[in-house]
Amino acid sequence: MTVEFSEKLIDMGKQAKEAARFLRKATTLEKKKVLNLMADSIEENAEKIKQANYQDVLNARENGMAPAMLERLTLDDKRLKAMAEGLRKIAQLEDPLAQANKQWKNDNGLMITQRPVPLGVIGIIYESRPNVTADATGLCLKAGNVVLLRGGKEAIASNEAIVEALHMALEEVGFPKESVQLITNPDRQLVTQLMQMNDYVDCLIPRGGAGLIQNVVKNATVPVIETGVGNVHIYIHESAVYETARDIVLNAKIQRPSVCNAVETLIVDQAFAEHYLSSLGNALYDGNVELVGDEQVRQLIPFATVAHEEDYETEFLDLKLAIKVVANYDEAIQHIEKYSSGHSEAIITSDYQTAQDFLNDIDAAVVYVNASTRFTDGEVFGFGAEIGISTQKLHARGPMGLEALTSYKYTIEGSGQIRE
């Protein structure tokens, strides 16, 4: 990495800090206006964004990118419209900075107020999903934060075109362009530098695969909110209704396999498997899902291949599913505890007590009974959008909306009090 690039990133950090002082004082109406203008600008520049994205997709295909990842990279009219509508939805959300959290008067007559404040400068490190560029910008800005974006090299042209459109809106209302900055140089050393810019960056949020997230967690000195890796399980209890189980599993695996809330491992009680796993395997086969499993699975589903240890550890993000037959509930829980990434876990059962036990036993950000794991999503939860799905426990957990992008401070108003 050259000194020039290193100094440029530091300059971006300094500009971000300056912009943060502006944004934390921006009013609700000002932020709403700029977000709506950003949505308009995305639509007005849709053709330019699609052209840039076409080049990214072409390059990625030539470089052998997996089909599931190509699907995440691709922008079409529908996704661009969704991107713009997402910004408009964020604009309409309640401003998380607008109300005091708590207020009380202490024994000394001091009025103490806990007030929400922006985190400040947030670095987003992500991979091949250019829609994150707009989503992250909208959420960060609504909560009064500056955003430093470092997307994957596969989406550089797309991200540049999107950020250019966002900058047009910022300039129109007099917000500093430095409120949204994109690192366009793909040098990985720049990522390491970003992760250690404690003087300029207040928080890092990585969004991507396990390798990216662990790289950030292990190398960052800036505080990190760990997100995203979804080694997701669905456990079919012996009391499950077959049709319900089939519909949920097919949705959780096939509807969009490239996302972190898609199921990766299916755990099946032996009593259920003996009657229904063969039929369920055929339904998955019809959906072009590759199946791997243990010996019992392969006896019931002849076209399934051997599941190795790493298969139960892997977030496939593709039309592949690992299956494990277990003797009982306790064995299912043990398997989930061993392999879960703490993202989303589900049980399908018609037994009320078993359902309640599962809700209490499973330590994950989101725990389901009789529903597809595909619902782990900030917009579905009513947050308007999400910055990511946190799999840790400190500060934020699960789908992270606007409140997760704020902290708080205490303001004290007195009338001359001194402490004895």
Side-chain angles (χ1 to χ4, degrees):
M1 180 175 65
T2 65
V3 175
E4 178 185 356
F5 287 137
S6 175
E7 291 177 349
K8 182 177 180 180
L9 191 54
I10 290 173
D11 286 341
M12 291 175 70
K14 291 178 178 177
Q15 292 166 352
K17 275 294 186 186
E18 188 67 30
R21 284 191 282 274
F22 175 94
L23 279 189
R24 66 173 172 248
K25 295 184 290 183
T27 67
T28 299
L29 287 177
E30 289 170 337
K31 291 184 289 186
K32 182 176 180 179
K33 182 177 181 180
V34 76
L35 287 166
N36 281 319
L37 286 172
M38 284 179 167
D40 294 342
S41 189
I42 292 290
E43 292 177 338
E44 291 163 4
N45 292 278
E47 289 305 316
K48 185 174 182 180
I49 296 170
K50 283 195 296 183
Q51 289 174 9
N53 181 252
Y54 175 80
Q55 190 59 53
D56 282 336
V57 171
L58 188 65
N59 293 338
R61 186 177 288 116
E62 291 176 351
N63 290 327
M65 178 179 276
M69 294 298 102
L70 279 171
E71 189 270 340
R72 297 177 80 156
L73 174 61
T74 302
L75 293 175
D76 54 19
D77 289 332
K78 182 178 178 181
R79 288 188 177 175
L80 285 170
K81 181 175 178 59
M83 192 183 296
E85 287 304 310
L87 289 166
R88 293 190 179 103
K89 287 180 181 179
I90 294 169
Q92 297 300 321
L93 294 174
E94 184 177 345
D95 189 340
L97 307 179
Q99 301 293 329
N101 293 336
K102 302 175 185 176
Q103 188 175 64
W104 67 95
K105 184 176 285 188
N106 76 350
D107 293 341
N108 304 106
L110 297 171
M111 183 59 69
I112 304 173
T113 305
Q114 186 190 72
R115 294 172 51 187
V117 295
L119 292 177
V121 178
I122 300 178
I124 311 289
I125 302 173
Y126 54 111
E127 292 177 332
S128 58
R129 293 178 65 178
N131 64 293
V132 173
T133 303
D135 293 346
T137 294
L139 286 164
C140 288
L141 192 147
K142 179 74 176 188
N145 298 290
V146 169
V147 62
L148 284 176
L149 300 161
R150 201 285 187 179
K153 63 181 180 180
E154 306 88 353
I156 284 178
S158 304
N159 291 334
E160 284 184 306
I162 294 168
V163 169
E164 185 178 341
L166 300 177
H167 279 169
M168 292 177 187
L170 288 168
E171 290 183 312
E172 187 171 341
V173 296
F175 276 42
K177 285 176 61 177
E178 294 78 18
S179 302
V180 182
Q181 298 184 65
L182 176 69
I183 300 171
T184 56
N185 188 294
D187 191 330
R188 291 192 175 186
Q189 292 184 66
L190 284 173
V191 181
T192 302
Q193 185 182 356
L194 175 65
M195 292 190 289
Q196 299 175 2
M197 286 175 57
N198 295 63
D199 290 339
Y200 308 108
V201 181
D202 296 291
C203 176
L204 287 171
I205 303 176
R207 292 191 57 173
L212 181 150
I213 292 169
Q214 288 308 308
N215 178 44
V216 175
V217 170
K218 291 177 181 178
N219 294 301
T221 55
V222 173
V224 176
I225 300 178
E226 186 175 349
T227 71
V229 174
N231 191 15
V232 173
H233 301 78
I234 292 179
Y235 166 44
I236 304 180
H237 183 248
E238 62 181 4
S239 67
V241 175
Y242 170 69
E243 290 77 10
T244 301
R246 178 197 61 205
D247 293 347
I248 290 173
V249 171
L250 291 178
N251 178 262
K253 181 73 266 184
I254 296 172
Q255 196 257 348
R256 197 174 180 196
S258 64
V259 291
C260 61
N261 56 23
V263 64
E264 304 294 16
T265 296
L266 182 64
I267 304 169
V268 187
D269 267 346
Q270 188 166 354
F272 183 95
E274 290 172 354
H275 291 95
Y276 301 115
L277 188 55
S278 178
S279 296
L280 182 55
N282 289 332
L284 287 161
Y285 178 84
D286 290 341
N288 297 313
V289 180
E290 176 189 352
L291 302 178
V292 297
D294 56 27
E295 183 177 350
Q296 287 180 281
V297 170
R298 299 196 308 278
Q299 288 176 356
L300 295 166
I301 308 175
F303 52 85
T305 57
V306 177
H308 301 286
E309 179 75 8
E310 59 266 26
D311 290 313
Y312 295 120
E313 300 171 344
T314 300
E315 181 187 33
F316 299 118
L317 300 174
D318 206 347
L319 286 171
K320 184 175 181 179
L321 182 67
I323 306 178
K324 172 75 173 177
V325 173
V326 294
N328 51 41
Y329 174 89
D330 289 338
E331 189 177 336
I333 298 301
Q334 289 171 8
H335 185 96
I336 293 172
E337 287 186 345
K338 181 176 181 180
Y339 296 104
S340 174
S341 61
H343 189 292
S344 301
E345 306 293 353
I347 187 172
I348 305 171
T349 181
S350 60
D351 184 270
Y352 175 81
Q353 188 57 54
T354 300
Q356 296 308 304
D357 289 344
F358 189 84
L359 292 174
N360 292 326
D361 285 336
I362 296 299
D363 185 16
V366 186
V367 186
Y368 291 87
V369 172
N370 296 330
S372 170
T373 56
R374 286 284 289 112
F375 291 108
T376 302
D377 181 277
E379 185 169 358
V380 173
F381 278 30
F383 301 161
E386 69 181 29
I387 199 72
I389 297 170
S390 171
T391 54
Q392 65 184 37
K393 298 183 183 180
L394 296 180
H395 180 69
R397 197 178 196 193
M400 295 187 295
L402 291 170
E403 288 187 6
L405 301 179
T406 66
S407 182
Y408 55 83
K409 67 181 178 184
Y410 292 98
T411 59
I412 315 296
E413 297 174 77
S415 54
Q417 289 92 333
I418 60 173
R419 187 166 182 176
E420 298 295 334

